[in-house]
Amino acid sequence: MDYKIDLHVHSNTNVHAFSTIKENADYAAETGMKVIAITNHGPALEDTPHWWQLINIRIVPDYINGVRILKGVEANIVGENGELDINQKIYEQMEIILAGFHGNHLYPKNQDREKNTRTVINLMKSQKADIIVHLGNPEFPIDYREVAKTAKEYNIALELNNSSLGGTRIGSEKTCRELAKYAKEFGCYLCINTDSHYCAQIGHTPLAGEIAEEISYPEELILNSSEEVLYKFLEMRKSLRPEKIEDKYIETYFPAGKKGNKVD
């Protein structure tokens, strides 16, 4: 099935994406979507503009053509303690925070399963991210059982990424099935997203949805299943997030000496 909620959508703020926020919203409205989250990349990726652009998403209306537009970010994991590449101002603005590995220069692709697992678990324990994305990527192997167990304990959602299954991250089908299996075993929140980089992809999740359907994943644990499930989850996550984000890599992206970049 295709869900009417999609929580991982990029706009052409990231130059490897091809639709504006308005084009994304218009397509979502045409196809009966209820909620989309605009989640452009954090500043560790080369195609992300100045961080001011990320926080200025606040000017976008909450609804466009009847579609709820959640303001979010897809932060990059940049350290083994689960550090992210966003500062306090970005952190405070976002209604939803996604985080994942992207193979950037601060967390390069590797086959160290123990290290990657430890990194994800440290991030979950910090409570700074609401959803951990595309964990099925075989370029960053992890212990799915331990990650699912921790996700349940800390009320973090795990993503099944339809784009990964469609060929952007070769070899993800086996790992995504393993992730889904353990997520169901522990009763984790699951999120079935497109990772859209073009408006016509929004809401279409046949590959990821099929994995969830095959194992009869409980709908009350799928964030995309209803607005009620989603908003209840986001309210819970809001209460669990720490007030301050104090990551050691902040100065790499937000030099203290540059006017307007002070993290406070």
Side-chain angles (χ1 to χ4, degrees):
M1 65 179 292
D2 284 340
Y3 295 93
K4 299 303 179 184
I5 296 171
D6 194 344
L7 302 176
H8 192 163
V9 175
H10 294 274
S11 76
N12 61 357
T13 288
N14 295 137
V15 298
H16 69 297
F18 297 93
S19 301
T20 66
I21 291 177
K22 182 65 162 57
E23 288 168 339
N24 285 334
D26 287 348
Y27 180 82
E30 289 170 10
T31 54
M33 299 292 291
K34 301 296 184 183
V35 183
I36 64 171
I38 302 298
T39 52
N40 288 317
H41 290 292
L45 289 191
E46 289 82 354
D47 77 334
T48 300
H50 194 286
W51 66 271
W52 289 348
Q53 206 283 342
L54 287 168
I55 64 169
N56 207 40
I57 196 173
R58 61 192 171 191
I59 69 171
V60 173
D62 287 343
Y63 288 87
I64 299 177
N65 291 343
V67 178
R68 176 71 166 95
I69 310 297
L70 289 173
K71 286 82 170 181
V73 64
E74 183 185 4
N76 297 285
I77 299 172
V78 294
E80 289 184 51
N81 289 319
E83 295 94 343
L84 302 178
D85 66 331
I86 55 177
N87 67 6
Q88 186 68 22
K89 293 180 184 297
I90 297 171
Y91 183 70
E92 290 173 354
Q93 285 292 323
M94 299 306 170
E95 296 174 283
I96 187 166
I97 296 177
L98 281 53
F101 295 122
H102 286 98
N104 56 54
H105 59 288
L106 283 178
Y107 203 100
K109 297 173 184 178
N110 70 87
Q111 293 298 308
D112 191 334
R113 185 169 180 260
E114 183 179 340
K115 172 186 175 182
N116 297 335
T117 301
R118 182 171 62 250
T119 297
V120 173
I121 288 175
N122 285 338
L123 172 57
M124 289 179 176
K125 288 181 176 180
S126 77
Q127 295 284 17
K128 295 175 295 191
D130 306 312
I131 303 171
I132 313 299
V133 297
H134 43 67
L135 283 175
N137 187 352
E139 294 180 322
F140 295 95
I142 61 172
D143 184 327
Y144 291 106
R145 189 179 191 281
E146 287 303 310
V147 164
K149 180 180 178 182
T150 306
K152 172 62 177 178
E153 182 179 356
Y154 288 89
N155 290 300
I156 311 290
L158 303 176
E159 181 192 64
L160 285 182
N161 187 294
N162 198 78
S163 179
S164 294
L165 294 163
T168 60
R169 300 174 185 92
I170 302 299
S172 291
E173 182 176 354
K174 179 181 177 181
T175 48
C176 283
R177 289 183 185 280
E178 187 177 358
L179 173 64
K181 178 185 73 173
Y182 285 119
K184 183 182 179 185
E185 177 182 324
F186 287 102
C188 300
Y189 285 104
L190 196 69
C191 196
I192 299 173
N193 291 326
T194 61
D195 197 354
S196 294
H197 286 67
Y198 175 62
C199 61
Q201 297 173 324
I202 292 172
H204 302 303
T205 55
L207 303 174
E210 181 181 357
I211 290 175
E213 289 173 26
E214 284 178 357
I215 62 174
S216 300
Y217 210 93
E219 284 204 357
E220 65 271 18
L221 294 176
I222 299 176
L223 302 187
N224 317 75
S225 65
S226 73
E227 291 174 90
E228 180 182 2
V229 171
L230 172 61
Y231 293 140
K232 183 179 179 181
F233 172 80
L234 291 179
E235 194 62 32
M236 174 189 63
R237 288 297 314 152
K238 188 176 179 181
S239 70
L240 292 174
R241 279 194 210 164
E243 290 185 6
K244 296 286 185 179
I245 184 168
E246 298 178 355
D247 284 352
K248 68 178 181 179
Y249 289 110
I250 288 295
E251 292 301 308
T252 303
Y253 303 106
F254 313 101
K258 187 173 180 180
K259 184 178 179 182
N261 282 26
K262 183 179 178 183
V263 179
D264 54 25

